[in-house]
Amino acid sequence: MPGETVTLQIGQCGNQVGLQYWSRLALEHGLQADGTTQPYPISEVENHLNDPSTGYRPKRSERDDRLDLFFNLTESNKYTPRAILVDLEPSVVSKATAELPMFNMRNRHLCENGAGAGNNWKHGYEYGLNHQEELIDIIDREVDKCDNLGNFQLIHSIAGGTGSGVGSLLLELLNDRYGEKSLINTFLVFPSNEKASDVVVQPYNTVLTLKRLTEFSNGTFVFDNDALNAIEETSLNYDRNRRFTSKSTAYAEANKLIALALASISNPIRFPSYMYSSMESILLSLVPTNQLKFILTAVVPHKLNEQDIILESINNRYKLNTVTGPVKYITMLNYVIGNNVNQMELKKGLMRINQKVDFVPWCPRSINLVMGKKSPYIRERTSAGLQASNNTSIIHVLNKTLNHYDRLAKREAYINYYTDSNNREEISRVMDWFNECREEVQKVIDEYKQAQDISYLDEVEDYGDDVLDMEEDAQFEDDPSQLL
Ligand code: GTP
C-alpha cells in the first residue's frame, strides 16, 4: 500500500527547486497558491458524452488522484505540502512561502542570524548537530500526520554548505530514527563544471556528502547543472536561440526542468493505476543493489508521438546529467504520461530503443514501462515522457568531482576552512578523514565499472541473495508492463 511522502528541502538550491516542484504539483492537482482546491474537471470521456440534443450533461468527476500522499488537508479545508523547509539564511524560504502560501509556516527551520553556511559543509553539519532537537521536532510532527509513512525525499545541492552539511546530518538523523520504517531517497543537484569557481571548495563538500549518501540513501536521483544549462529545447517551450545568461535565469529554467522530472517520477503514485503506485516499487525496479543506487533522468517534451517519446528518451540532449561516451544501462524505467496513448506507436518505440541501447550483460534487457495518467487539470492533448535509469554515465559525474577534489587535496588547498586551527596534526587528521570519504566515492565508481562485467554478480557474493530477491520481486511486479 502506498504511503505518504515527506519532503525536506534544504538550502538555497533545495528550496528554489522545491518551490518549482510544489508549484507543479499544485497545478497538476488543481490547487490554488493558498491550498484551496479548484473543482475536479469533467473527464474527457464524460465530456464526449455531452450532448445538447439529448439534454445529457456530464456530472463532475469524483477525484481519483492521491494528493493526500503529498499534501495534508487542514481543518480549514486547505491542502498544505508535507514539506519541511530548512535554510540557514531566510530570503529564499521567505520568497517561497510568499509565492506559495500553501506551505505550512510551522514547518520552516531558519537560522537565527541568517548568515548561511558560507559554502562550507562543516558549518552546515555542525549547525545541524547543534539544532538537531528542533529539526527532529519538526520532522516528528510531520510524520505524526501520516497514516503510513512511505518515504522521505530530500531536495538539495551537493556543493554549498547548507544543502550538503545540514543535508548530510539530516540523512543520518532520518536513518537513525526512521530508517527501519521508511525509505529515504534524495534529489541531488551537482554544480556546474564551467562555473566551478563560484564555490572553490565545492569538491570537498561534494565528497563529504556523497559519503553519507552511499550509506543512508535508498536511491539518489542526480541532476547536473552543466547538463541542465546545455539543454536547448524542453517541454517548457524553451526558446532554442536563447542561452542561459544570468544566474537567476539559468536556475529558473533548470529548476523547472528538475521539478518536472520530480513530478513525473511520482506521477503513478499521485494518479495511481495498478503499477508503480509507491516509491518503493519505483526504487525496486531501478536500484538492483545497495551499491548501485544513482539514478539519472531524461525529460522528453510534449508534441511528439509515443514512438518518438520513447526514442528521444535515450537522446543525450534531453538528459539531465552530462553524458560523455557510450552508456551501459543497468535498469530503465520509461514513463509515458498521457491519455489515449497509442499502444502501437509505443510498441514500435520500445522495439527500436531495445535495438539501440546497451545493457550490462548480467541483467535482463528489460525496458520497464510506466503508463502515467495525465492530470485532468492539464489540457494539452499530447503525451510527455520521462526516463529514469541506472546507468554508467554516473561514472563521469563522479569522476569530475574526484578530479576537482584531487587537485585541491594534493595541495591541501583551503583545508583551513574545515579546521579549527593551523595545527599540523589537526590538518592531517581532517585530510585523512576527507580522503576516507573520497575512497567511498571511488568505490562507487569502481562498482559501476565492475557492473559492466559479466561476472559482476559473482563478485558481489555477499549481496547475492539480496540482489536475487530484489530482482525476483521487481520482475514479478513489472511483468505486465514489459512489452518486450
Ligand atoms: P550555503 O549557501 O553555504 O548556506 O549553502 P546552500 O546549500 O544554501 O548553497 P546552494 O544551495 O546555493 O548550493 C550551491 C550550489 O548549488 C551552486 O554552486 C550551484 O551549483 C547550485 N545552485 C544554487 N541554487 C540553485 C538553484 O536554484 N538551482 C540549481 N539547479 N542549482 C542551484
Side-chain angles (χ1 to χ4, degrees):
M1 190 180 118
E4 292 89 353
T5 295
V6 173
T7 302
L8 291 99
Q9 42 200 63
I10 312 150
Q12 172 184 306
C13 177
N15 280 292
Q16 284 178 169
V17 171
L19 172 62
Q20 294 303 327
Y21 168 67
W22 289 107
S23 303
R24 177 80 205 177
L25 258 52
L27 175 78
E28 291 190 10
H29 293 283
L31 300 179
Q32 318 265 20
D34 65 353
T36 47
T37 44
Q38 293 164 12
Y40 208 54
I42 298 164
S43 74
E44 280 180 30
V45 180
E46 285 270 355
N47 218 6
H48 281 308
L49 300 176
N50 187 7
D51 184 354
S53 65
T54 61
Y56 179 81
R57 294 173 72 85
K59 294 194 203 80
R60 293 234 159 262
S61 306
E62 288 295 313
R63 284 203 91 104
D64 55 2
D65 54 349
R66 290 296 310 268
L67 77 171
D68 58 307
L69 297 176
F70 288 77
F71 294 86
N72 286 305
L73 183 58
T74 64
E75 281 170 7
S76 51
N77 233 9
K78 289 183 179 173
Y79 284 94
T80 181
R82 297 183 188 272
I84 296 166
L85 290 65
V86 180
D87 206 353
L88 300 200
E89 63 103 14
S91 67
V92 173
V93 170
S94 303
K95 182 173 170 282
T97 50
E99 230 171 89
L100 213 55
M102 64 169 62
F103 281 119
N104 179 354
M105 298 300 263
R106 289 188 69 208
N107 278 7
R108 291 172 306 163
H109 178 94
L110 300 169
C111 173
E112 310 86 60
N113 67 21
N119 290 312
N120 187 322
W121 184 96
K122 178 175 184 268
H123 292 173
Y125 187 84
E126 285 175 354
Y127 175 89
L129 266 183
N130 294 332
H131 293 80
Q132 48 181 318
E133 278 177 26
E134 295 150 55
L135 291 166
I136 287 173
D137 259 9
I138 299 187
I139 296 168
D140 283 355
R141 212 169 48 224
E142 199 50 44
V143 170
D144 285 346
K145 294 185 196 150
C146 300
D147 290 331
N148 168 36
L149 173 67
N151 66 308
F152 289 100
Q153 59 182 21
L154 273 62
I155 309 175
H156 59 129
S157 138
I158 197 165
T162 305
S164 71
V166 181
S168 294
L169 191 270
L170 283 169
L171 276 168
E172 288 176 13
L173 285 183
L174 293 175
N175 181 67
D176 209 33
R177 230 171 150 72
Y178 293 105
E180 301 274 300
K181 297 181 228 157
S182 73
L183 294 171
I184 305 171
N185 61 278
T186 59
F187 299 107
L188 197 61
V189 178
F190 273 73
S192 161
N193 218 4
E194 288 155 26
K195 289 195 203 159
S197 56
D198 76 354
V199 185
V200 70
V201 291
Q202 62 195 19
Y204 287 148
N205 299 333
T206 303
V207 163
L208 296 173
T209 312
L210 280 169
K211 157 88 166 93
R212 268 76 194 171
L213 286 162
T214 58
E215 275 178 272
F216 303 124
S217 142
N218 297 104
T220 289
F221 293 81
V222 168
F223 302 93
D224 174 357
N225 271 344
D226 275 333
L228 292 161
N229 288 347
I231 288 183
E232 289 174 44
E233 182 188 13
T234 73
S235 52
L236 307 161
N237 300 325
Y238 186 75
D239 174 358
R240 252 175 218 266
N241 301 318
R242 208 183 83 218
R243 286 273 171 187
F244 298 133
T245 46
S246 72
K247 192 173 166 178
S248 68
T249 313
Y251 291 154
E253 298 295 332
N255 293 351
K256 280 184 193 158
L257 266 177
I258 302 173
L260 187 62
L262 264 61
S264 303
I265 289 163
S266 66
N267 171 287
I269 307 175
R270 295 179 292 110
F271 299 98
S273 58
Y274 65 101
M275 294 279 300
Y276 301 107
S277 55
S278 69
M279 197 50 160
E280 192 181 2
S281 60
I282 292 171
L283 288 181
L284 202 56
S285 67
L286 285 169
V287 179
T289 77
N290 196 34
Q291 290 72 39
L292 301 170
K293 58 181 166 194
F294 289 87
I295 302 160
L296 305 150
T297 52
V299 168
V300 187
H302 290 272
K303 299 184 188 70
L304 300 163
N305 71 23
E306 288 77 2
Q307 185 179 167
D308 289 339
I309 287 173
I310 297 284
L311 285 175
E312 291 290 4
S313 68
I314 52 166
N315 186 334
N316 288 349
R317 77 176 170 152
Y318 293 122
K319 293 201 165 151
L320 307 190
N321 67 290
T322 314
V323 181
T324 56
V327 178
K328 285 205 173 181
Y329 288 87
I330 298 163
T331 55
M332 189 191 282
L333 203 52
N334 267 309
Y335 292 63
V336 176
I337 299 171
N339 303 333
N340 310 320
V341 167
N342 183 329
Q343 298 289 337
M344 209 48 222
E345 285 292 316
L346 201 59
K347 224 169 188 166
K348 279 193 217 157
L350 283 166
M351 261 174 332
R352 289 186 58 196
I353 193 185
N354 198 40
Q355 290 156 2
K356 286 172 185 256
V357 292
D358 219 356
F359 275 89
V360 293
W362 50 270
C363 72
R365 289 182 66 83
S366 54
I367 299 166
N368 294 320
L369 192 65
V370 181
M371 301 290 292
K373 288 187 199 159
K374 200 161 59 185
S375 154
Y377 292 97
I378 293 180
R379 281 299 177 194
E380 291 140 4
R381 294 207 150 263
T382 50
S383 304
L386 172 98
Q387 184 191 79
S389 69
N390 199 327
N391 72 59
T392 54
S393 64
I394 188 65
I395 294 175
H396 169 76
V397 180
L398 299 180
N399 264 336
K400 185 176 85 175
T401 298
L402 287 195
N403 286 341
H404 286 147
Y405 172 90
D406 289 344
R407 266 187 259 160
L408 288 181
K410 200 166 113 197
R411 303 241 175 265
E412 295 180 351
Y414 305 105
I415 197 68
N416 56 327
Y417 283 26
Y418 299 84
T419 58
D420 295 327
S421 69
N422 278 332
N423 177 300
R424 187 64 239 162
E425 245 177 63
E426 191 194 354
I427 290 176
S428 300
R429 214 176 39 246
V430 169
M431 223 44 252
D432 285 349
W433 168 52
F434 276 29
N435 286 330
E436 278 168 30
C437 296
R438 185 213 181 278
E439 284 318 300
E440 292 303 314
V441 182
Q442 185 65 53
K443 277 188 201 160
V444 177
I445 296 175
D446 294 343
E447 193 77 22
Y448 272 91
K449 285 185 179 161
Q450 283 164 24
Q452 297 176 53
D453 203 290
I454 183 82
S455 60
Y456 173 70
L457 285 188
D458 306 338
E459 286 167 21
V460 287
E461 250 165 55
D462 288 352
Y463 306 97
D465 290 346
D466 287 355
V467 172
L468 294 178
D469 285 353
M470 284 182 81
E471 271 187 356
E472 271 166 24
D473 289 352
Q475 278 313 119
F476 175 74
E477 175 144 10
D478 300 347
D479 259 355
S481 76
Q482 280 182 26
L483 298 187
L484 288 172

